[in-house]
Amino acid sequence: MNDLQNKVALVTGGTGGIGSAICRRLAAAGARVVSTYRNEEKAKAWASAQDYEATILPCDVGSYDDCVRMAAELESQVGPPDILVNNAGITRDASFKKIAPEQWRAVINANLDSVFNVSHQFVNAMADRGWGRVVNISSLNGQKGCFGQTNYCAAKAGIHGFTMALAQEVARKGVTVNTVSPGYIATDMVMAIPEEVRNKIVAQIPMGRLGTPEEIASLVAYLASESAGFITGANFSANGGQFMH
């Protein structure tokens, strides 16, 4: 299935667990995939391990100026992206009583400011060309909240507010903007949670299991396709039934 043939796809944080699966799935659909990274050594090892040609570009997505530089580099090396997946993010968990201003700012900057910083480089040009797909990766916890994550939940909830507003601005210009909100996915980060704690999480999921990165990637690939052209401003929950609304 090469329905994204000749499309350029930019995935921020594409070297992580969910990001890697998204990159593989978009590449399998024919897209030329580009990922941003912060850690050069890790990114080079990641790129050499892929079974497709992955382009990697350094970028601090929390810095608007660095996103301007990255965009220029991307367009000169590969071309302007047709598909943008805002996937990069971090956690700095702490109860509200103990959270430090630096932990708040770091998460808002990396998870929410980054969505503006990166999207602002490319979406207007997508609209001018008459075609584009933006998929913003939020979280189950941005929908239901989570103890010890005021920073993360605020950022992830803000992502869908951004999605809905931007979707309205570009809907008539051939550009769709959607949110995907994964639940607990079997990435290295989640599998590093102590088994006893992980089992308690799984017990709260009606399907009785963790999701897979590939399941999230398949949803993203669909939203990036021509077939999803009538879907915009939507938030897709992929959480095994853990939160329904």
Side-chain angles (χ1 to χ4, degrees):
M1 186 175 72
N2 292 328
D3 54 343
L4 299 181
Q5 200 71 43
N6 301 320
K7 302 291 188 192
V8 174
L10 172 64
V11 182
T12 67
T15 63
I18 291 175
S20 289
I22 292 171
C23 288
R24 281 195 303 273
R25 185 64 183 75
L26 294 177
R32 176 132 186 226
V33 175
V34 182
S35 171
T36 65
Y37 70 86
R38 292 288 303 274
N39 182 318
E40 184 173 15
E41 185 179 350
K42 176 186 171 187
K44 286 184 174 178
W46 174 85
S48 65
Q50 305 309 307
D51 58 3
Y52 60 91
E53 185 184 346
T55 300
I56 52 173
L57 293 175
C59 186
D60 174 4
V61 292
S63 163
Y64 188 86
D65 289 345
D66 207 37
C67 290
V68 171
R69 178 206 54 76
M70 178 272 291
E73 198 173 333
L74 169 60
E75 295 196 19
S76 67
Q77 285 191 29
V78 184
D82 307 286
I83 299 159
L84 168 61
V85 183
N86 284 304
N87 169 72
I90 62 170
T91 55
R92 297 287 185 271
D93 295 353
S95 67
F96 190 69
K97 185 176 182 180
K98 295 179 180 177
I99 193 169
E102 299 77 45
Q103 290 171 293
W104 174 269
R105 283 194 295 266
V107 169
I108 297 296
N109 179 244
N111 294 29
L112 183 56
D113 292 348
S114 62
V115 175
F116 168 78
N117 293 343
V118 179
S119 300
H120 207 231
Q121 312 309 317
F122 305 115
V123 173
N124 291 334
M126 289 178 182
D128 289 343
R129 294 194 302 271
W131 200 94
R133 298 286 186 264
V134 180
V135 182
N136 299 318
I137 306 299
S138 181
S139 168
L140 160 73
N141 291 345
Q143 297 175 298
K144 73 174 188 62
C146 182
F147 184 96
Q149 285 195 327
T150 51
N151 50 4
Y152 184 81
C153 295
K156 291 298 190 179
I159 285 173
H160 188 56
F162 176 94
T163 288
M164 291 187 292
L166 182 58
Q168 292 180 43
E169 293 192 25
V170 296
R172 291 180 179 272
K173 298 176 180 178
V175 180
T176 66
V177 189
N178 290 291
T179 302
V180 171
S181 292
Y184 285 93
I185 307 300
T187 60
D188 289 345
M189 185 172 71
V190 170
M191 297 311 289
I193 296 172
E195 186 176 7
E196 182 183 339
V197 177
R198 203 167 66 240
N199 289 341
K200 289 179 181 177
I201 291 170
V202 171
Q204 297 171 0
I205 302 172
M207 284 190 175
R209 66 173 178 87
L210 300 172
T212 69
E214 290 72 25
E215 287 171 320
I216 304 303
S218 292
L219 176 54
V220 172
Y222 171 67
L223 293 173
S225 73
E226 198 72 55
S227 301
F230 197 57
I231 301 171
T232 198
N235 190 355
F236 290 83
S237 299
N239 59 43
Q242 191 173 358
F243 180 73
M244 303 182 189
H245 65 103

